[in-house]
Amino acid sequence: MDALTGPLSFQQEDVLRKARKHPASAPGYDYCFLFRLEGAVDVGHLRSALEELLCRHPVLRTRIARAGTDYVQSISAVEGFIETDGGGAVTESGMVQELIAQRHDLDKILKGEALLRATIHTAPQVYLSLTINHLIYDGWSLMLLWRDLAELYAARIEHRAPDLPQVRATYLEFAEKQRTSWEQRKESATEFLAKAVEGYQDTIAWPASGEINTASEPELSLLSFDVPPSLTSRIREVSRAARVSPFTVLLSATALAVARVTGKRDLMMGTDTFNRDEETWESVGHFVNTRITRVGIDPTRPLIEAVQLIRASWMAADDYGDVFSEKVLADIGAPFPLMVNMPSLAQSSGNMEVLRLKNIAVESVPVPVKNSTWRDFYATWFHDKNGYRGVLSHRTARVDNATARMIFEEIESGLADPFGDASV
């Protein structure tokens, strides 16, 4: 096999599998960025910094290619990836609309279109646009990209060598190692997960209302809320009492709320995990794993009991933290879990779209896209210096806004009285 071609990672296979099953969701895997650059922009240095970024992280030059009956990831040359557009006055809104319109559907991905597209717009204002597909990035990767690009550009401006840590493993190498490891781990991992999900029924009886009848099938709605400071202190209390992370408390509060609203006591939840080690710490790519937690919850009992049950299930899965569980679930035909996540540092700290360039004022221009999803419901928890913020994402054709609000209220209720002594 060619040195610049290798197998897909299991994460990449999972993205393609979901895109095939839910074609309308495929463009959503393209994340679009548009940065307005003001100041002494050296377009030549910016272009060469981007090219060196592509050399440092070959995964950014990935295309999906056909190899017999299979698909592989193929790394192209740097030439042609960075475009410069200086032809005529292009409006900011025009660039935004073009980014949205040019997102890849599944057909474009499988035909080998570039998974990263970058353009430096030079007339009349300098802009940098980037579109990157989830096949080649995760939240941590974005933080690496912005840091590396900033340093590569600054080094050129200051006429010095870049000061960046070594990238010890490419994403191709990760994918190859992953498959070697899988041959050694698949028997025990499959046995563990098959037992963990045995008999699970993923049907949830979400409360129905008139809202659902008017909703389009993939339409996504979001309910965002900040956790009050008084409840933040309760999260810490439960965390200390049960010897778990604050996220485990929030995961448990979400599960308990779903059980109280829907009556479903047997819940299988998935949580995306960081999945990087010393070798891949500086690597760009889609490394995220999903840890499966299954628990039987009594909705009449306090939060601390749900935390203790979820802790036991979470720890039991620890030995298989390196195994991409969604591959196993797909292989054995198991249902998909209810997702509850705490994003990586890049997203959780609000830095996912922050790019800083030497001597340049960089402003992120919003690229609004129509939200859609194939999942009925998932929860995301963010944490920064101000505390915790929750986002409940729900497909309105199945979970209406009133139900999302009920779940939010039950989360707050569970956190307010976690030990079952309502007098506190």
Side-chain angles (χ1 to χ4, degrees):
M1 184 173 286
D2 190 286
L4 293 180
T5 302
L8 298 177
S9 70
F10 295 149
Q11 285 84 346
Q12 289 174 324
E13 287 185 340
D14 185 60
V15 170
L16 293 179
R17 178 168 51 245
K18 289 170 181 171
R20 287 190 183 96
K21 187 173 182 180
H22 309 279
S25 70
Y29 291 114
D30 261 351
Y31 206 127
C32 304
F33 299 91
L34 181 61
F35 299 106
R36 185 188 305 117
L37 310 182
E38 296 182 346
V41 183
D42 189 314
V43 173
H45 284 337
L46 179 57
R47 182 184 180 89
S48 64
L50 284 164
E51 289 174 345
E52 187 168 349
L53 184 72
L54 296 179
C55 292
R56 177 174 168 82
H57 300 291
V59 67
L60 299 176
R61 312 193 311 265
T62 296
R63 302 174 190 271
I64 303 301
R66 197 70 182 260
T69 58
D70 296 323
Y71 285 97
V72 296
Q73 50 178 320
S74 179
I75 309 301
S76 302
V78 173
E79 291 74 18
F81 266 86
I82 311 301
E83 297 184 2
T84 303
D85 179 10
V90 180
T91 65
E92 188 174 285
S93 61
M95 285 185 279
V96 168
Q97 293 307 312
E98 185 175 11
L99 283 171
I100 295 172
Q102 292 183 352
R103 291 184 303 162
H104 286 347
D105 58 17
L106 180 60
D107 186 57
K108 287 184 177 179
I109 292 171
L110 297 181
K111 285 183 176 178
E113 295 286 338
L115 298 179
L116 171 82
R117 285 91 71 201
T119 303
I120 303 171
H121 306 264
T122 60
Q125 166 89 40
V126 180
Y127 289 84
L128 172 64
S129 67
L130 289 165
T131 300
I132 183 170
N133 195 277
H134 193 31
L135 284 160
I136 59 172
Y137 88 96
D138 53 21
W140 183 262
S141 296
L142 294 178
M143 188 174 69
L144 295 179
L145 291 181
W146 306 151
R147 181 205 65 186
D148 290 2
L149 180 56
E151 172 58 17
L152 292 169
Y153 181 76
R156 282 159 172 74
I157 295 295
E158 298 170 356
H159 306 289
R160 60 173 175 81
D163 181 16
L164 288 171
Q166 178 187 4
V167 178
R168 296 173 56 182
T170 67
Y171 194 67
L172 270 178
E173 291 167 340
F174 163 77
E176 290 166 347
K177 183 177 179 180
Q178 184 186 50
R179 289 181 177 274
T180 300
S181 173
W182 172 244
E183 291 303 314
Q184 302 164 353
R185 302 272 281 155
K186 64 180 180 181
E187 185 174 346
S188 61
T190 301
E191 181 180 357
F192 171 81
L193 281 168
K195 184 176 180 180
V197 305
E198 184 178 6
Y200 181 74
Q201 301 295 320
D202 64 338
T203 302
I204 299 179
W206 301 103
S209 78
E211 292 181 41
I212 289 179
N213 296 329
T214 61
S216 61
E217 182 62 21
E219 182 181 335
L220 175 70
S221 186
L222 306 176
L223 174 62
S224 301
F225 56 93
D226 293 318
V227 176
S230 60
L231 297 187
T232 298
S233 63
R234 298 298 261 169
I235 292 171
R236 296 192 184 108
E237 287 181 48
V238 179
S239 177
R240 288 192 295 269
R243 300 177 65 185
V244 298
S245 68
F247 170 67
T248 304
V249 178
L250 293 168
L251 170 67
S252 304
T254 308
L256 181 61
V258 170
R260 287 177 173 176
V261 169
T262 68
K264 185 171 176 59
R265 295 176 174 232
D266 181 15
L267 290 171
M268 182 171 75
M269 294 165 294
T271 300
D272 287 342
T273 60
F274 185 62
N275 193 37
R276 273 178 165 82
D277 55 22
E278 290 184 2
E279 193 172 65
T280 55
W281 189 266
E282 296 293 335
S283 303
V284 168
H286 180 5
F287 292 91
V288 175
N289 264 356
T290 302
R291 178 177 290 216
I292 303 301
T293 306
R294 185 176 178 185
V295 63
I297 292 184
D298 184 344
T300 67
R301 303 300 299 163
L303 173 61
I304 186 65
E305 294 188 14
V307 171
Q308 292 164 341
L309 291 170
I310 285 176
R311 180 183 185 276
S313 180
W314 181 274
M315 295 303 295
D318 193 56
D319 288 341
Y320 298 95
D322 62 325
V323 174
F324 189 62
S325 59
E326 292 187 36
K327 171 179 172 50
V328 180
L329 296 182
D331 287 349
I332 65 178
F336 193 80
L338 186 74
M339 296 299 293
V340 183
N341 279 320
M342 174 74 80
S344 65
L345 177 63
Q347 296 163 294
S348 192
S349 61
N351 291 328
M352 197 164 106
E353 299 184 19
V354 173
L355 170 64
R356 295 181 175 89
L357 295 175
K358 182 89 175 172
N359 299 331
I360 300 174
V362 182
E363 185 174 352
S364 179
V365 178
V367 183
V369 295
K370 185 177 180 180
N371 293 319
S372 63
T373 184
W374 52 268
R375 295 186 176 103
D376 287 348
F377 173 89
Y378 59 99
T380 309
W381 290 99
F382 297 87
H383 180 224
D384 59 24
K385 62 182 180 180
N386 298 317
Y388 296 96
R389 177 167 55 91
V391 179
L392 306 183
S393 308
H394 53 104
R395 184 164 61 99
T396 50
R398 289 281 292 126
V399 180
D400 65 12
N401 295 309
T403 298
R405 286 191 294 271
M406 283 193 289
I407 293 172
F408 153 64
E409 290 166 0
E410 289 294 349
I411 288 173
E412 286 203 325
S413 174
L415 292 173
D417 185 26
F419 300 102
D421 58 356
S423 61
V424 177

